[in-house]
Amino acid sequence: MSDTGITPLLQRVRQCDLCRQQLPQPPRPVLQLDPRARLLIIGQAPGRLAHQSGIPFNDSSGDRLRDWLGLDRQQFYHSGLVAVLPMGFCYPGRGRSGDLPPRTECAPQWHPPLIEALPDCQLWLLVGRYAQDYYLADKRSLTERVRDQQPDARQFCLPHPSPRNRFWLQRNPWFEQQQLPALRQRVAELLD
Ligand code: SF4
């Protein structure tokens, strides 16, 4: 899809109010998309800071994710290299133990046409349980998915980089010691 072809689609996304009634604030879809992107990051939903700025992963989770991938902010926010599609594009609000799950209306509505507009994406990063449950549709735990995957898998699973996940990272040091170096190298080659 050309740049001009993607514009009407993105305008429709920006005007979406499909689940307005369930959101704590008026819809503000937060995503990053350009048909030239080579790396696709499918995350969860924008947190409060990303919602306020309108910039995906513009928070401490994003800082950790960039560190995992070996990307600085300039590279990460180069839409011609990296696309970011959360499972829910709008901030879902807070629950008793953190942000609420992404709205389930969003991915079925918007992911198919948007992903179709990304013909050059050679690596998908499924970040966190919601993206993995949706796209893998298997019964494995997140730990099993992250641990038991091929380093060259087209759909590569990551834990969510939220600071709330630090205990998972402490319990599973193999992730940072063994998987991240290979992933960084793959991302560098892909975006070179
Ligand atoms: S979360 Fe998705 S489906 Fe809901 S209003 Fe925002 S863009 Fe539309």
Side-chain angles (χ1 to χ4, degrees):
M1 188 178 289
S2 66
D3 284 1
T4 50
I6 193 73
T7 303
L9 177 57
L10 287 175
Q11 283 175 345
R12 281 170 40 220
V13 172
R14 307 246 178 249
Q15 293 165 358
C16 178
D17 64 355
L18 187 62
C19 58
R20 169 185 283 269
Q21 301 302 324
Q22 283 72 42
L23 297 175
Q25 300 179 32
R28 187 181 194 193
V30 178
L31 64 155
Q32 173 171 303
L33 189 131
D34 182 304
R36 297 167 297 171
R38 286 175 246 160
L39 172 66
L40 171 60
I41 298 173
I42 303 184
Q44 189 163 313
R48 190 175 48 82
L49 292 177
H51 168 81
Q52 288 171 352
S53 67
I55 301 171
F57 283 110
N58 189 25
D59 52 19
S60 55
S61 295
D63 290 338
R64 176 172 274 159
L65 180 60
R66 284 181 281 277
D67 179 57
W68 285 354
L69 302 179
L71 298 178
D72 59 26
R73 286 181 69 91
Q74 192 176 6
Q75 294 166 311
F76 188 88
Y77 291 118
H78 187 324
S79 62
L81 297 177
V82 179
V84 182
L85 297 182
M87 288 301 296
F89 296 166
C90 299
Y91 174 56
R94 283 197 61 87
R96 273 192 292 181
S97 58
D99 287 351
L100 291 170
R103 293 302 313 172
T104 55
E105 299 89 339
C106 201
Q109 175 73 18
W110 292 117
H111 278 207
L114 292 169
I115 289 174
E116 195 181 336
L118 295 168
D120 296 331
C121 272
Q122 298 165 39
L123 173 60
W124 293 22
L125 298 181
L126 302 178
V127 181
R129 185 168 60 83
Y130 294 106
Q132 293 165 20
D133 285 350
Y134 188 78
Y135 278 102
L136 300 181
D138 61 20
K139 302 289 184 203
R140 292 181 299 165
S141 68
L142 180 140
T143 302
E144 290 170 327
R145 288 167 175 159
V146 174
R147 187 189 59 210
D148 304 333
Q149 62 186 339
Q150 296 299 318
D152 59 350
R154 185 165 185 264
Q155 295 184 342
F156 196 86
C157 296
L158 293 174
H160 198 279
S162 164
R164 296 170 60 86
N165 249 351
R166 63 188 181 281
F167 296 119
W168 187 93
L169 294 170
Q170 287 169 5
R171 282 196 308 272
N172 299 283
W174 48 266
F175 169 69
E176 293 186 297
Q177 292 167 2
Q178 295 165 25
Q179 291 208 335
L180 284 189
L183 178 62
R184 281 194 193 110
Q185 183 176 351
R186 203 172 159 200
V187 169
E189 289 170 0
L190 184 64
L191 303 188
D192 186 11

